[in-house]
């Protein structure tokens, strides 16, 4: 357990020392979200209708753009193979890295989402649901994305490749999340949606890091 | 029987056994596809609502069914390779991916063709077509990962993990896509869910499905044989084959 | 103890080695030599447990966690020498106090670079930080890929002494090296 916390600490330290890694994807999502009102016109009805979808797609893309950094540097400077060889469990290290990545990525998007909601005239119920939905879904995005990051280590255009591999797997999150926000905005009960997101999160927590760990060992076997 | 499966795990026995079986499979494929085609396109009755355009279903549905099955088979081969390191399983995975992708593409195209007379547009977002599109992306993912890692010795295991992860997600994806479309098209006429299909329609459909499965196995085995020759080209028994 | 039986490996359709067998016990040292591309690094990685596409058996006795220093340095540019070593110890399941880390760095003449980021150091200095790992960590098995490459002649002397001490204390060493390694009792394995 200790190594997990140490890993989170280490990765956060590294992110803080190179903040561009955090800011760039976030700036990207802010930009993408802002493009839509500019492109579609400021009519509150239009924006409201597409709001959930846009916020969600922006969250997905932002996660994808930062995910390939999770292992890449450690792979290139050789610290990743040291983690494989070390006595401490690689699986715990993987969990630690995923947590750290989520803290500087998914969590920040979740906290910024009310702002996005306001930009799109989402009502209060909708905004609450948006935060809750993202809170449940962004860890899952990081968990599943980490599998793609692990499998594409050492590949040249890894970033684009990860997107191709992982986006289909994000579809249920997209569908559930948007449905949850829309349902909330209409004033209806969205507990079911939230429970489904929580279930997917639970499954991902249990299984995704296993695949990621294998993926790391496989990618380093070269 | 167990012994047979055990032997099939090695390249040379697989090559030799499949060489014996393959011609018969090929003939069966031809027969069932020929019978199916004639029955479906010529003899079966036109649909009460869709008229003759329903005949595209006899290609679309088998293609979609076999495409989805082939993903499951491919992912199973991947799991076998990861657990038991049987080389044939790796070859099976690599060879299945392009065939599965092509069948999925065929399903998409025929789905679009089917939709055109009914709904007037070439593409429509409904549950089945969307699921098929996602399946195509899953296949493409495996193919693309393979080509990106070409030359690396661990490409087999990497694609195997991706295939298995895709398989685990497939039911979740299908379920959520189906559910999404029940929200958005509450009472639409579903292209593929007819209330009940009379035997005049599901019998030729069955023949076509069987034919497509046989077709898949035939092409798959053929490709695996080629892959075996490629990978074992340096070994004695390959060099001494003179029937190519 | 290391037991290698019938180890065969193929890369890019070329056979690197076939049916390699050997055994190493405590205090043994093995040098792998061969031309570039002959498979030295691959063999070392197989022994370390990083490379898995091979046939045959590689069995380690009780010493399961080798200290491997390969072509990639294993040091983070954004972390200081101290931080890197503390992390190395942690990932090896070895709690290390700051005093121990500092002492290890001093032994490789990096005492005045404790808090300098490894990214700001020269090749040679980073090489020394890596050698400090050999001092700090207690692994019984050392697998070193061209360890004499990135260090100066003083460092080479120091490393040789350190290796002798390691072997004397019952450690195992496998290394690849272009240059001759003046050790008694050194086994050599040439890959063609």
């Amino acid at each position: 357990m200790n190594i997990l916390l140490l890993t989170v600490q280490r990765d956060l330290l590294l992110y803080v020392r190179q903040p561009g890694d955090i800011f760039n994807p976030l700036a990207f999502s802010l930009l993408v979200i802002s493009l839509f009102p500019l492109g579609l016109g400021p009519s509150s009805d239009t924006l409201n209708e597409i709001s959930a979808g846009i916020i969600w797609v922006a969250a997905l893309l932002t996660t994808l753009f930062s995910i390939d950094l999770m292992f890449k540097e450690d792979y290139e400077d050789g610290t990743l193979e040291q983690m494989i060889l070390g006595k401490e469990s690689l699986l715990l290290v993987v969990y630690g890295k995923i947590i750290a990545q989520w803290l500087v990525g998914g969590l920040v998007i979740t906290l910024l989402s009310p702002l996005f909601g306001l930009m799109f005239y989402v009502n209060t119920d909708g905004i609450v649901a948006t935060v809750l939905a993202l809170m449940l879904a962004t860890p899952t995005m990081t968990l599943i994305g980490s599998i793609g990051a692990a499998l594409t280590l050492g590949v040249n255009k890894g970033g684009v490749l990860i997107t191709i591999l992982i986006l289909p797997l994000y579809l249920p999150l997209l569908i559930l999340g948007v449905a949850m926000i829309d349902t909330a905005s209409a004033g209806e009960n969205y507990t079911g949606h939230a429970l489904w997101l929580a279930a997917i999160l639970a499954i991902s927590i249990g299984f995704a890091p296993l695949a990621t760990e294998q993926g790391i060992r496989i990618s380093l076997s070269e | 029987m167990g012994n047979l499966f055990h032997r099939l795990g090695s390249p040379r026995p697989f090559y030799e056994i499949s060489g014996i079986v393959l011609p018969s499979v090929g003939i069966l494929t031809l027969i069932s596809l020929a019978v199916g085609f004639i029955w479906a396109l010529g003899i079966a009755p036109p649909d009460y609502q869709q008229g003759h355009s329903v005949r595209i279903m006899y290609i679309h549905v088998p293609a979609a069914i076999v495409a989805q099955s082939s993903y499951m088979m491919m992912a199973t081969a991947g799991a076998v390779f990861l657990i038991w390191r049987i080389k044939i399983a790796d070859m099976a995975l690599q060879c299945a991916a392009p065939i599965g992708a092509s069948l999925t593409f065929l399903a998409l195209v025929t789905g679009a063709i089917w939709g055109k007379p009914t709904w007037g547009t070439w593409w429509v977002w409904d549950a089945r077509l969307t699921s098929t599109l996602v399946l195509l992306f899953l296949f493409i993912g495996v193919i693309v990962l393979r080509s990106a890692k070409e030359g690396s010795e661990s490409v087999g295991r990497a694609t195997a993990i991706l295939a298995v992860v895709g398989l685990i997600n497939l039911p979740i994806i299908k379920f959520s896509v189906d559910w999404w479309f029940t929200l958005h098209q509450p009472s639409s006429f579903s292209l593929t869910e007819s209330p009940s299909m009379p035997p005049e329609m599901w019998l030729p459909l069955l023949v076509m499905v069987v034919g497509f499965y046989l077709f898949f196995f035939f092409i798959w085995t053929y490709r695996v044989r080629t892959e075996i020759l490629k990978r074992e080209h340096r070994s004695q028994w390959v060099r001494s084959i003179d029937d190519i | 103890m290391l037991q290698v039986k019938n180890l065969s490996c193929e890369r890019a359709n070329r056979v690197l080695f076939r049916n390699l067998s050997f055994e190493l016990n405590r205090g043994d040292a093995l040098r792998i030599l061969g031309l570039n591309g002959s498979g030295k690094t691959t063999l070392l990685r197989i022994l370390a447990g990083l490379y898995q596409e091979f046939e045959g058996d590689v069995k380690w006795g009780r010493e399961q966690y080798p200290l491997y220093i390969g072509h990639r340095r294993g040091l983070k540019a954004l972390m200081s020498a101290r931080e890197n070593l503390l992390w190395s110890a942690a990932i090896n399941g070895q709690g290390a106090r700051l005093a121990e880390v500092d002492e290890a760095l001093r032994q490789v003449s990096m005492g005045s670079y404790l808090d300098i980021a490894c990214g700001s150091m020269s090749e040679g200095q980073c090489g020394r930080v890596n050698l400090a790992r050999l001092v700090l960590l207690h692994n019984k098995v050392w697998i070193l890929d061209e360890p004499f490459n990135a260090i100066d002649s003083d460092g080479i002397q120091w490393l040789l002494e350190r290796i002798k001490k390691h072997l004397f204390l019952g450690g195992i060493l496998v290394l690849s090296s272009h240059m001759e390694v003046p050790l008694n009792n050194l086994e050599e394995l040439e890959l063609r």
Side-chain angles (χ1 to χ4, degrees):
Chain A
M1 202 36 158
N2 198 20
I3 191 67
L4 197 155
L5 294 172
L6 280 175
T7 310
V8 175
Q9 190 183 6
R10 167 200 189 259
D11 272 31
L12 286 179
L13 185 70
L14 289 167
Y15 281 130
V16 162
R17 288 185 182 172
Q18 201 161 56
D21 290 347
I22 317 174
F23 287 138
N24 292 345
L26 281 173
F28 166 79
S29 71
L30 203 55
L31 258 164
V32 163
I33 290 186
S34 312
L35 279 177
F36 282 89
L38 295 175
L40 296 168
S43 143
S44 66
D45 288 332
T46 324
L47 291 182
N48 194 15
E49 217 173 296
I50 58 174
S51 56
I54 296 182
I55 294 175
W56 211 262
V57 169
L60 286 175
L61 291 179
T62 308
T63 306
L64 277 173
F65 284 175
S66 48
I67 211 94
D68 75 333
L69 295 173
M70 220 197 273
F71 305 115
K72 192 155 175 238
E73 264 200 41
D74 287 347
Y75 169 77
E76 281 168 4
D77 61 28
T79 41
L80 191 58
E81 58 192 23
Q82 295 298 322
M83 293 177 200
I84 299 179
L85 294 173
K87 196 169 169 196
E88 294 286 0
S89 158
L90 176 64
L91 187 61
L92 287 177
V93 173
V94 166
Y95 271 106
K97 283 186 143 307
I98 291 174
I99 293 175
Q101 170 85 347
W102 177 73
L103 286 174
V104 299
L107 179 60
V108 178
I109 295 182
T110 308
L111 296 174
L112 283 178
S113 60
L115 173 66
F116 298 155
L118 284 176
M119 282 166 67
F120 285 83
Y121 306 101
V122 181
N123 61 29
T124 320
D125 288 329
I127 292 187
V128 169
T130 305
V131 174
L132 181 59
L134 283 174
M135 193 65 120
L136 290 170
T138 45
T140 312
M141 292 180 203
T142 313
L143 283 158
I144 298 181
S146 73
I147 305 178
L151 288 176
T152 55
L153 279 175
V155 166
N156 222 346
K157 305 276 174 44
V160 180
L161 186 58
I162 297 179
T163 309
I164 300 176
L165 299 182
I166 298 295
L167 264 183
L169 304 179
Y170 280 167
L171 216 55
L173 291 175
L174 175 62
I175 290 175
L176 274 169
V178 171
M180 178 162 154
I181 300 174
D182 282 344
T183 311
S185 301
E188 287 157 27
N189 189 307
Y190 53 87
T191 325
H193 305 76
L195 286 175
W196 273 110
L197 281 176
I200 295 182
L201 175 59
I203 299 176
S204 304
I205 292 180
F207 290 108
L210 296 173
T212 306
E213 190 211 343
Q214 272 311 301
I216 291 177
R217 288 179 194 274
I218 290 173
S219 287
L220 262 110
S221 184
E222 45 88 63
Chain B
M1 199 53 179
N3 193 26
L4 177 67
F5 274 116
H6 194 78
R7 285 174 62 207
L8 280 175
S10 303
R12 182 176 183 178
F14 183 94
Y15 189 84
E16 289 169 354
I17 296 176
S18 62
I20 301 172
V21 171
L22 210 55
S24 336
V25 174
I27 295 177
L28 272 175
T29 309
L30 269 172
I31 295 178
S32 50
L33 282 179
V35 167
F37 262 104
I38 298 173
W39 195 348
L41 299 179
I43 305 176
D47 180 73
Y48 144 74
Q49 276 169 306
Q50 300 173 53
H52 284 279
S53 64
V54 77
R55 298 191 193 280
I56 273 285
M57 169 197 68
Y58 294 105
I59 302 182
H60 168 81
V61 171
I65 292 178
V66 178
Q68 198 166 320
S69 281
S70 70
Y71 192 89
M72 290 189 240
M73 289 188 266
M74 180 183 79
T76 311
V80 166
F81 181 57
L82 285 172
I83 303 174
W84 290 292
R85 303 282 208 125
I86 297 177
K87 288 204 191 124
I88 289 280
D90 176 31
M91 294 190 231
L93 190 159
Q94 310 301 341
C95 294
I99 309 175
S102 312
L103 279 172
T104 315
F105 186 70
L106 178 66
L108 274 174
V109 167
T110 49
I113 297 176
W114 192 5
K116 180 77 163 93
T118 318
W119 284 328
T121 49
W122 283 111
W123 180 262
V124 79
W125 289 101
D126 83 333
R128 185 168 214 126
L129 280 180
T130 308
S131 292
T132 313
L133 186 62
V134 172
L135 187 65
L136 182 63
F137 286 141
L138 287 177
F139 272 119
I140 287 180
V142 172
I143 295 174
V144 161
L145 181 62
R146 181 194 183 180
S147 88
K149 288 194 104 126
E150 195 77 64
S152 161
E153 297 298 317
S154 59
V155 60
R157 290 196 292 150
T159 46
I161 286 216
L162 184 63
V164 169
V165 168
L167 183 64
I168 297 175
N169 274 274
L170 201 54
I172 305 178
I173 297 176
K174 283 218 71 181
F175 170 77
S176 53
V177 168
D178 283 344
W179 176 75
W180 181 240
F181 284 101
T182 60
L183 292 182
H184 289 249
Q185 286 173 8
S187 59
S188 66
F189 161 71
S190 173
L191 264 177
T192 52
E193 255 64 76
S194 318
S196 66
M197 231 188 257
E200 296 87 47
M201 293 185 93
W202 62 253
L203 270 176
L205 185 61
L206 188 61
V207 173
M208 285 298 269
V209 170
V210 168
F212 266 76
Y213 264 113
L214 286 172
F215 177 72
F216 175 78
F217 276 112
F218 181 77
I219 303 271
W220 194 21
T221 312
Y222 198 82
R223 288 195 66 141
V224 172
R225 285 163 59 85
T226 312
E227 185 72 19
I228 291 177
L229 291 179
K230 209 166 84 172
R231 292 195 192 191
E232 306 280 316
H233 69 105
R234 259 182 278 115
S235 58
Q236 188 62 7
W237 68 271
V238 173
R239 286 185 211 246
S240 62
I241 294 179
D242 52 13
D243 61 6
I244 301 182
Chain C
M1 196 206 58
L2 170 64
Q3 251 185 356
V4 174
K5 277 198 208 140
N6 288 329
L7 188 63
S8 304
C9 180
E10 217 181 272
R11 287 190 78 156
N13 272 324
R14 247 188 67 230
V15 175
L16 289 179
F17 36 84
R18 215 184 255 299
N19 290 332
L20 212 52
S21 296
F22 57 86
E23 199 177 291
L24 290 177
N25 291 297
R26 304 197 121 200
D28 285 347
L30 173 66
R31 172 189 171 211
I32 319 260
L33 58 150
L35 299 171
N36 282 341
S38 56
K40 304 195 292 292
T41 300
T42 307
L43 177 56
L44 289 176
R45 287 174 80 86
I46 290 177
L47 296 178
L50 286 174
Y51 190 76
Q52 281 136 20
E53 320 293 333
F54 62 86
E55 268 149 52
D57 279 320
V58 175
K59 248 188 278 210
W60 286 98
R62 250 178 289 130
E63 314 84 343
Q64 269 188 310
Y65 303 103
L67 178 49
Y68 170 77
I69 301 182
H71 286 315
R72 294 200 196 106
R73 236 178 266 142
L75 298 171
K76 289 230 72 88
L78 285 174
M79 283 172 29
S80 71
R82 259 186 184 152
E83 289 169 334
N84 269 301
L85 282 180
L86 281 169
W87 173 257
S88 271
I91 202 74
N92 258 286
Q94 204 182 302
R97 285 166 301 146
L98 199 56
E100 292 173 314
V101 168
D102 289 356
E103 176 55 32
L105 284 167
R106 252 175 247 125
Q107 282 197 26
V108 292
S109 314
M110 291 296 284
S112 31
Y113 292 86
L114 299 176
D115 280 318
I116 308 288
C118 285
S120 315
M121 292 181 193
S122 70
E123 274 286 325
Q125 289 170 327
C126 285
R128 283 173 183 264
V129 176
N130 249 342
L131 293 183
R133 276 205 264 158
L134 297 175
V135 175
L136 182 65
L137 301 173
H138 303 153
N139 305 60
K140 281 288 179 204
V141 178
W142 288 0
I143 301 181
L144 308 176
D145 198 346
E146 300 286 351
F148 302 111
N149 266 6
I151 48 180
D152 54 27
S153 51
D154 278 346
I156 294 180
Q157 266 315 111
W158 180 93
L159 181 55
L160 281 169
E161 289 308 311
R162 204 73 190 73
I163 288 177
K164 286 182 189 153
K165 186 171 168 195
H166 170 80
L167 294 171
F168 179 72
L169 291 174
I172 296 179
L173 170 69
V174 183
L175 81 162
S176 76
S177 176
H178 280 133
M179 53 168 257
E180 290 289 328
V181 183
L183 286 175
N184 305 331
N185 235 359
L186 178 72
E187 300 215 10
E188 293 198 344
L189 173 60
E190 184 165 358
L191 298 178
R192 291 169 203 285

